[in-house]
Amino acid sequence: MPMPVYTFLEEFDLFGKTIAPFCTHEGSGPGHSVADSKRACPKSNVIEGLAVRGGDVKNAQDSVAGWLREIRMRTKK
Ligand SMILES: Cc1cc2nc3c(=O)[nH]c(=O)nc-3n(C[C@H](O)[C@H](O)[C@H](O)COP(=O)(O)O)c2cc1C
């Protein structure tokens, strides 16, 4: 996970908040990001994330929309 993201997670009070991690990658998937987010924010609800391959981003609209539906976030069309 990039250091600016660590800083964000550590600097803000995310007590009781839900964190939905998402990233692009080129083969490593989410790596340790979800576990590291849980460690950095033990009092937050870190839910299932989404990792999209950078080269597939142009075609990822359906998987992003599906993930948002799964986590029950509404998208505007
Ligand atoms: C310095 C650096 C190292 C990276 N190392 C990896 C890596 O080892 N494995 C991986 O899946 N993604 C890695 N990435 C991320 C991908 O390069 C990136 O998410 C993907 O190409 C999409 O790029 P974009 O989000 O800028 O469009 C790295 C990125 C940077 C900046």
Side-chain angles (χ1 to χ4, degrees):
M1 186 156 62
M3 282 302 144
V5 180
Y6 266 116
T7 303
F8 175 84
L9 294 177
E10 288 169 359
E11 293 288 312
F12 289 90
D13 180 10
L14 298 172
F15 176 91
K17 302 285 186 192
T18 295
I19 298 172
F22 60 93
C23 69
T24 55
H25 66 96
E26 263 324 326
S28 305
H32 306 287
S33 303
V34 176
D36 290 346
S37 300
K38 287 180 180 170
R39 242 191 316 277
C41 304
K43 293 181 176 166
S44 302
N45 176 30
V46 182
I47 62 175
E48 193 183 336
L50 179 73
V52 176
R53 195 180 270 269
D56 295 339
V57 157
K58 276 188 186 154
N59 304 313
Q61 190 164 348
D62 286 352
S63 54
V64 172
W67 173 66
L68 292 173
R69 267 196 306 277
E70 261 173 47
I71 65 171
R72 296 174 199 279
M73 279 180 73
R74 292 199 185 88
T75 52
K76 286 185 188 158
K77 285 248 168 170

